[in-house]
Amino acid sequence: MTPARPEGDGQGEGDRDPAQASWDGGGRRRRGTGPGGRSWAAIGFGLGLGATLAWLTVQTVLEVGSLLTLLLLAGFIAIALEPVVAWLARYRMRRSWAVAVVLVVLVALFGGFLALVVPPVADEVNALVKAAPGWLRALHNHNSALGRFEDRYHVLAKIKQQFSSGGASGLAGGVLGAGKLVVGAVTAAVIVLVVMVYVMVFLPGLKRFGLRFVAASKRPHVQDVTDEILNRVGRYMLGNVVTSVIAGLATFLWCVATGVPYPAALGVFIALMDLIPIVGTTIGGFVVSLVALSVSLPIALATAGFYVAFRLAEDYLIVPRVMRFAVDVHPLVTVVGVLIGGALLGIVGALVAIPTAVAIDLVLEEHLFSRTDAS
């Protein structure tokens, strides 16, 4: 039974609050009003506006998702290099100069990699161009293996038919698509580099700005936790570099022992690819196995088997031990964290998965487990 509302409470009609104004003199809710005295139209408009804003927020995040991923990668690289910058800054070097030194070293390493990789690739491309006329002559020679292959499958006729039936436009579209891919990759690299430099230079100011959102009494403790997280992220990057060096040396020694060409270039290539969790070593091993085909098929198969064995040893022996020593995280956390991060954000997610796990573990130790253990 609905309780009756008081009729005379000493207030005028204009002095009633919205909750009382939604009731009539008989104690019944007035028609067209909802909870809190608001009309149903106003409630519906508010709900619709909130849903629209939520939908627009989600769509905006999806649209700029790739940009946010690049910003996350730039921030991660800057934080990973922070211990080196801080070490240089301790020797009476201005932070801007310390960042410049780190960038020069990175550019020098990248230039050395190009110096090792570009000449072999250029030689192979030149050899391919020089061999192309001979292959064409062999295709027209009915007594050669390529000529018999052409007589059976008519490869040249099918290529000419594709070009005459619009294949040229498809080829042009493929070239344009490849051009867009290259431009997109260069643009992404520039964005990451610029944001990384800004974060490296202004990281102390960014930390101070972030700490202003914390109560003054808690800032020293929060700052200590933040510094420890950054320190562990740097140690994680150092551990990742150690595992990459191991992979590069193993590749170099294997190529020298089996006679695979360009051992130094392939070793550096595998070291760089090994920085990418989950898929880096697999992709690099596939490329090295293809190069090993220039020696012989058995050597290529043995190289593929070597990388399968090395991948198992890296995943279950090298990486867990190095990461547990560097960041003090259980090996199971490293494997599961990389898998989840890779599934969510791809390569970037796999890169930041372990530092994120380290940060979460440290926050739990400081703010949750310390209280539960003391209770």
Side-chain angles (χ1 to χ4, degrees), residues 14-348:
D15 297 332
R16 292 185 181 182
D17 59 36
Q20 293 178 349
S22 63
W23 298 85
D24 59 14
R28 296 182 298 274
R29 188 184 298 276
R30 290 182 176 178
R31 182 175 300 178
T33 59
R38 300 173 58 191
S39 67
W40 288 111
I43 294 175
F45 178 77
L47 292 176
L49 181 60
T52 302
L53 291 177
W55 181 83
L56 289 176
T57 302
V58 172
Q59 292 299 316
T60 302
V61 172
L62 293 177
E63 288 292 334
V64 300
S66 58
L67 179 60
L68 294 177
T69 302
L70 294 177
L71 296 179
L72 178 63
L73 177 61
F76 169 72
I77 297 175
I79 292 174
L81 295 174
E82 172 61 18
V84 180
V85 176
W87 180 76
L88 292 174
R90 283 197 295 267
Y91 288 91
R92 298 182 180 275
M93 182 180 294
R94 293 178 57 184
R95 185 173 183 86
S96 57
W97 285 105
V99 172
V101 169
V102 173
L103 291 178
V104 169
V105 172
L106 292 178
V107 171
L109 292 176
F110 182 71
F113 170 72
L114 292 180
L116 288 173
V117 172
V118 171
V121 172
D123 293 340
E124 294 300 325
V125 172
N126 290 331
L128 179 64
V129 172
K130 293 179 180 179
W135 292 345
L136 290 176
R137 288 193 298 270
L139 284 172
H140 291 91
N141 185 3
H142 301 287
N143 296 323
S144 65
L146 287 177
R148 291 191 294 269
F149 181 82
E150 165 64 18
D151 292 338
R152 182 171 182 179
Y153 295 102
H154 307 287
V155 176
L156 294 178
K158 292 180 180 179
I159 292 176
K160 293 179 181 179
Q161 182 180 2
Q162 287 292 328
F163 272 92
S164 61
S165 62
S169 61
L171 180 62
V175 173
L176 290 176
K180 291 181 180 179
L181 182 62
V182 172
V183 172
V186 172
T187 303
V190 171
I191 291 174
V192 171
L193 181 61
V194 172
V195 176
M196 180 190 72
V197 172
Y198 272 98
V199 174
M200 290 172 65
V201 173
F202 299 107
L203 185 59
L206 294 175
K207 289 167 56 178
R208 289 192 297 268
F209 176 76
L211 288 173
R212 294 187 65 184
F213 291 94
V214 182
S217 59
K218 298 181 180 179
R219 285 179 190 174
H221 178 68
V222 174
Q223 184 174 1
D224 292 339
V225 174
T226 303
D227 291 339
E228 180 64 22
I229 291 175
L230 296 179
N231 184 32
R232 292 195 183 186
V233 171
R235 286 159 52 187
Y236 159 73
M237 196 63 186
L238 178 62
N240 206 2
V241 170
V242 170
T243 59
S244 297
V245 170
I246 294 173
L249 288 176
T251 298
F252 174 78
L253 296 175
W254 174 263
C255 292
V256 170
T258 56
V260 177
Y262 316 119
L266 292 177
V268 175
F269 172 73
I270 289 296
L272 292 176
M273 293 298 296
D274 191 73
L275 292 173
I276 304 174
I278 301 177
V279 298
T281 309
T282 302
I283 296 175
F286 179 75
V287 172
V288 177
S289 300
L290 290 180
V291 176
L293 277 175
S294 62
V295 180
S296 66
L297 179 60
I299 293 296
L301 295 177
T303 301
F306 166 76
Y307 277 104
V308 170
F310 181 82
R311 175 64 188 272
L312 293 175
E314 185 181 46
D315 289 345
Y316 294 99
L317 293 177
I318 300 175
V319 172
R321 294 178 182 273
V322 172
M323 289 306 167
R324 188 170 186 179
F325 173 78
V327 295
D328 194 21
V329 177
H330 194 276
L332 181 62
V333 176
T334 63
V335 176
V336 175
V338 168
L339 291 176
I340 295 176
L344 293 176
L345 294 176
I347 295 176
V348 178

Side-chain angles (χ1 to χ4, degrees), residues 357-372:
V358 170
I360 294 175
D361 178 70
L362 189 59
V363 171
L364 290 177
E365 287 287 346
E366 292 290 333
H367 296 280
L368 179 62
F369 296 153
S370 59
R371 296 179 182 177
T372 56

